[in-house]
Amino acid sequence: MIYRSILVSLLAIGIGYVVIASQIALDPWSEMDAINSRTLPYFYGSGLALCALVLLLQRPVALEVSGRILPLGLVCLVIVAFISLLQYAGLWWSLAALLVANMLIMGERRLPILFGVSLGVPLVGWGLVEQLLEMVVPL
Amino acid sequence: MLEGIMTGVATALTLSNLSWVIFGCIAGTLIGMIPGLGPISAIALMIPISYSLDPAGGLIMMAGVYYGAVFGGSTSAILINAPGVASTVATSFAGYPLARSGKAGKALAIAAYASFFGGTLGAVLLLFFASTLALFALQIQSPEYAALILFAMTSIVVFAQTGQRIHSAVTLLLGLMLGTVGTDQLGGVQRFTFNQIDLADGIHFVLLVMSTFALAEAFRLFIVQSPQTEQKVSMRDLKLPKSEVRRLTPVAGRSAVLGFIVGVMPGAGATLASFFAYDLEKQIGDKSLEAGLTAPEAANNAASTGSFVPLLSLGIPGSGTSAVLLGVMLAYGLQPGPTLIVDQPEVFWGVIISMYVGNLLLLLLNLPLIPYLARLINLPGQVLLPLVIGFSLLGVFLTTFSVFDLGLMLAFALVAGLLRAYGFPLAPMLLGFILSSLFEENLRRALLLSSGEIGYLADRPITLIILIICLLICFIPLWNRRLA
């Protein structure tokens, strides 16, 4: 079912891509070119739709879904939180929070490791990137 | 030429220049290991230091930085499947599975030996064929590039595993489509940006590679929790058995020659060379993981050396890295080109010899570090996977400084993970992405030159030969089926 949904999505992406490609604004000179900004996207989009269609006609691939989907969802949520936190807490504190949260989700409970890794890595990163290489993180 | 070589040796082997190349190797390795920072960033970051040195010393240090950064990038590609730069993507295809199977030390050692071999052979070829190859490189123009890229794309689909060809075509097309996002360089119009300013410059390669490889792999390992083989690496493990050396030497040799030739062509660079070499080896050469790792490593180092041919002989930078180096040379008041060898022989030969010295020193400096680097993979999953996720996000953010790109990365990683779980290979997607703009620009430029006449492509002998080969390889699957 999921496999078929993927193929249907790919088919839709291919068709949608061709439709959007047809709406790319061209100047009159480009329209006369043998290959302009739209030409290759037409090929790519229709090629993808065709391939997806061929795969849809073949035998579907079966896959057993693991029971660890929920924790993976939590990891994704943590990444979203990291992205949202960047503006407010800065790169290195957000990275520390990301590391500690992900380690907790994945089952790490030893405090020295939790704090050592989540504080040590951002500290080394800060020292290397901002102090040694003098890069400015624009946040 | 012998006099020139001696001048180069004398310049490269002074105590101060040797110290600078050692410093460059160490700094380059450290910077290259950070996902998102590759050779270009490493060289750019070292420019302020190079200004305090004389031209020969500065360029010699840069050679060390360059090779160090390439090796550092390979290390993160092999150990955590996070190739920070395009030229080490192919390294991760065989290097990462080798590391996961308990041979991380061996994988790193093979990468170091293959890089050394490729770089050395490249330096020798550069020494003898620089001027001849520079003239050949001038023959390779837009039509030939377009045909060559078409050949690369065709071969990746045709030579995919049986039953995987359409899946490979799907991901290749997805990569090509992603490569069209952003401002069209020739037409000047924005395509598929949905009025998002963050997409105006297109999707960054590091974003795609980190999401489809490092982050998606971390997600997969998180779900699968595959048993991890403990890595016990000692210095003795770094010595490859004679039988393996005999088996891998021809692989490194042919990959290095191929890489050097590809590297000589302006614009092609180490990325294409490593993909070509990996693909060639996988399809018609040695199919082992060790060979799959040797081929791209030898090719990308040889290609990097090859890219110095148009730079030193003609003053044309053949890759992003050599463009930065050109800037450094111009800042020193040097004008790379045919007159460099006459006006500044110590610089010309010094750079060539220092490439060899840099390669040798890198091998000597990094081999003792391998047992310690390999232990990184022994970290328990609940620590390693958060680190991989953290490094991936950090790598992309340090490259693009865009919060939007981090969101895009998460979306790509989820889609890539799903596609991979259902048997879609992701390597063609990266190849498609890299080749998309190159293909379109060269094809359109070729047709602009010919006033839109498609027949012009067939009028050029090299283009015609490549197109014929392209057509012929399409029949290989049919031929194989007939034989079976």
Side-chain angles (χ1 to χ4, degrees):
Chain A
M1 185 63 190
I2 299 176
Y3 182 67
R4 292 232 173 251
S5 309
I6 293 172
L7 295 179
V8 171
S9 308
L10 287 172
L11 181 66
I13 290 170
I15 295 168
Y17 182 84
V18 171
V19 171
I20 298 170
S22 68
Q23 291 162 1
I24 295 170
L26 293 179
D27 56 63
W29 298 277
S30 299
E31 275 188 45
M32 288 186 291
D33 285 346
I35 292 184
N36 56 42
S37 305
R38 290 177 190 162
T39 319
L40 288 180
Y42 282 150
F43 277 101
Y44 301 156
S46 39
L48 182 71
L50 190 70
C51 288
L53 205 60
V54 172
L55 287 175
L56 267 169
L57 298 174
Q58 293 180 352
R59 202 159 55 91
V61 176
L63 182 80
E64 282 180 27
V65 179
S66 155
R68 287 173 62 85
I69 291 290
L70 183 67
L72 180 64
L74 282 177
V75 171
C76 293
L77 272 180
V78 168
I79 294 175
V80 173
F82 163 78
I83 296 168
S84 318
L85 203 65
L86 269 175
Q87 306 276 8
Y88 307 103
L91 176 63
W92 307 111
W93 286 113
S94 307
L95 182 65
L98 173 93
L99 290 171
V100 81
N102 275 340
M103 279 192 285
L104 281 170
I105 292 170
M106 290 181 187
E108 182 59 59
R109 294 289 180 270
R110 289 166 292 179
L111 286 179
I113 291 183
L114 278 173
F115 285 105
V117 172
S118 60
L119 293 177
V121 170
L123 190 68
V124 172
W126 172 80
L128 198 65
V129 172
E130 290 201 37
Q131 301 305 305
L132 196 68
L133 301 178
E134 295 178 351
M135 283 171 74
V136 180
V137 179
L139 275 173
Chain B
M1 184 166 50
L2 196 65
E3 194 186 337
I5 294 172
M6 294 316 291
T7 311
V9 171
T11 311
L13 294 185
T14 61
L15 190 64
S16 97
N17 285 346
L18 269 179
S19 314
W20 282 115
V21 84
I22 290 173
F23 169 77
C25 283
I26 295 170
T29 306
L30 287 175
I31 297 170
M33 280 175 74
I34 304 172
L37 298 184
I40 298 180
S41 321
I43 288 180
L45 289 165
M46 289 292 153
I47 287 176
I49 298 175
S50 74
Y51 284 157
S52 60
L53 307 173
D54 62 280
L59 289 169
I60 284 168
M61 183 192 76
M62 290 301 193
V65 171
Y66 180 70
Y67 284 116
V70 171
F71 181 77
S74 303
T75 307
S76 55
I78 290 168
L79 293 181
I80 57 171
N81 204 21
V85 285
S87 57
T88 54
V89 171
T91 299
S92 67
F93 294 161
Y96 180 67
L98 204 59
R100 292 288 304 170
S101 65
K103 294 175 184 167
K106 186 183 180 185
L108 288 171
I110 289 177
Y113 295 135
S115 299
F116 173 70
F117 189 93
T120 305
L121 195 61
V124 172
L125 291 171
L126 182 63
L127 213 56
F128 291 103
F129 301 110
S131 47
T132 317
L133 284 168
L135 293 174
F136 164 73
L138 284 179
Q139 301 294 315
I140 306 291
Q141 291 172 3
S142 294
E144 285 77 25
Y145 273 122
L148 206 60
I149 294 166
L150 189 66
F151 170 73
M153 294 193 290
T154 313
S155 66
I156 205 158
V157 174
V158 168
F159 293 123
Q161 284 176 2
T162 313
Q164 287 269 297
R165 289 195 184 97
I166 304 178
H167 292 81
S168 298
V170 165
T171 47
L172 178 75
L173 286 162
L174 280 173
L176 287 166
M177 287 160 70
L178 288 172
T180 59
V181 174
T183 309
D184 172 22
Q185 296 298 320
L186 285 178
V189 290
Q190 295 216 344
R191 297 186 294 186
F192 311 104
T193 57
F194 306 101
N195 295 325
Q196 275 284 341
I197 191 90
D198 294 281
L199 289 175
D201 286 337
I203 296 164
H204 202 287
F205 177 76
V206 173
L207 186 160
L208 193 69
V209 81
M210 285 293 177
S211 50
T212 51
F213 275 70
L215 203 54
E217 177 65 14
F219 288 170
R220 191 189 71 83
L221 287 176
F222 186 64
I223 295 175
V224 176
Q225 281 204 316
S226 60
Q228 202 169 316
T229 317
E230 186 158 350
Q231 312 278 344
K232 284 179 186 160
V233 185
S234 68
M235 284 305 285
R236 261 182 302 171
D237 298 327
L238 305 181
K239 193 170 178 245
L240 299 177
K242 274 184 187 166
S243 58
E244 196 142 40
V245 173
R246 268 199 298 272
R247 189 164 61 86
L248 295 179
T249 305
V251 177
R254 55 181 173 254
S255 303
V257 173
L258 174 73
F260 186 79
I261 294 170
V262 175
V264 167
M265 296 186 250
T271 307
L272 271 190
S274 60
F275 272 105
F276 276 148
Y278 174 79
D279 211 31
L280 185 79
E281 213 50 53
K282 197 175 141 204
Q283 305 311 331
I284 55 171
D286 188 335
K287 291 179 174 57
S288 65
L289 285 177
E290 287 83 357
L293 173 60
T294 304
E297 276 297 299
N300 73 21
N301 257 36
S304 310
T305 314
S307 70
F308 282 83
V309 171
L311 176 69
L312 293 175
S313 310
L314 303 167
I316 302 167
S319 64
T321 314
S322 51
V324 178
L325 274 176
L326 175 67
V328 175
M329 292 174 99
L330 291 175
Y332 276 127
L334 302 170
Q335 181 57 56
T339 55
L340 182 69
I341 192 167
V342 181
D343 298 339
Q344 303 270 349
E346 75 285 356
V347 174
F348 184 88
W349 294 107
V351 169
I352 292 178
I353 298 295
S354 67
M355 283 178 189
Y356 181 74
V357 176
N359 250 306
L360 183 67
L361 284 175
L362 189 71
L363 188 73
L364 297 176
L365 288 171
N366 284 332
L367 275 182
L369 289 178
I370 286 177
Y372 303 100
L373 291 172
R375 282 184 201 155
L376 182 70
I377 212 168
N378 278 345
L379 286 172
Q382 66 266 29
V383 177
L384 184 64
L385 295 185
L387 280 176
V388 173
I389 293 171
F391 279 134
S392 314
L393 292 164
L394 184 66
V396 170
F397 190 73
L398 287 178
T399 308
T400 65
F401 293 119
S402 162
V403 175
F404 174 84
D405 280 355
L406 293 178
L408 204 59
M409 186 183 172
L410 179 61
F412 280 167
L414 290 171
V415 173
L418 202 60
L419 285 175
R420 198 179 151 183
Y422 281 96
F424 288 87
L426 296 178
M429 184 193 282
L430 290 181
L431 190 71
F433 183 79
I434 294 167
L435 297 180
S436 183
S437 57
L438 272 176
F439 180 59
E440 186 166 13
E441 275 170 36
N442 283 297
L443 186 62
R444 286 170 69 181
R445 202 175 293 136
L447 290 173
L448 279 176
L449 290 173
S450 66
S451 311
E453 284 294 320
I454 300 270
Y456 168 73
L457 299 177
D459 286 344
R460 300 176 66 91
I462 301 175
T463 313
L464 189 63
I465 291 168
I466 300 170
L467 288 176
I468 289 171
I469 295 172
C470 228
L471 196 67
L472 287 176
I473 62 166
C474 291
F475 292 101
I476 289 177
L478 292 175
W479 179 254
N480 284 346
R481 198 176 297 170
R482 200 184 161 93
L483 283 178

